[in-house]
């Protein structure tokens, strides 16, 4: 967890959780899950999701997470690239 650098990027917390879709990396694959975020930094989010009766929680980099109500919108990097190309 050293790469998250909590000393320079402090954790913020929010309740209720923010509904998200997030890519979760496993050793042999990646999976897009429906989850919630209760903690985040400027660079990462802690995603909580369920698989059957089991609840999991892990930190992922911010680009792996999209708010569920914003699924039709591009992420900031895509908006920036698209906007700069249209000029």
């Amino acid at each position: 967890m050293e790469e998250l650098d909590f000393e320079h990027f402090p954790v913020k917390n929010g309740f209720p959780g923010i509904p998200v879709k997030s890519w979760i990396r496993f050793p042999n694959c990646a999976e897009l899950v429906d989850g919630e975020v209760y903690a985040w930094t400027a660079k990462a989010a802690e995603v909580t999701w369920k698989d059957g009766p089991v609840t999991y929680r892990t930190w992922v980099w911010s680009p792996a997470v999209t708010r569920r109500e914003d699924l039709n919108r591009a992420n900031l990097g895509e908006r920036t690239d698209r906007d700069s190309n249209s000029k």
Side-chain angles (χ1 to χ4, degrees), residues 8-77:
H8 294 102
F9 299 98
V11 175
K12 296 177 183 160
N13 294 293
F15 294 94
I18 301 166
V20 298
K21 288 243 184 221
S22 180
W23 285 102
I24 305 296
R25 170 66 54 193
F26 295 98
N28 296 320
C29 67
E31 184 176 338
L32 185 61
V33 301
D34 288 333
E36 292 184 319
V37 168
Y38 295 94
W40 62 91
T41 71
K43 295 173 128 186
E46 186 179 43
V47 177
T48 301
W49 78 98
K50 288 189 173 201
D51 184 8
V54 181
T55 300
Y56 296 95
R57 185 175 64 199
T58 192
W59 282 92
V60 298
W61 297 116
S62 296
V65 181
T66 305
R67 287 180 185 249
R68 273 191 255 159
E69 55 266 9
D70 293 335
L71 290 178
N72 293 327
R73 303 171 108 191
N75 69 34
L76 178 59

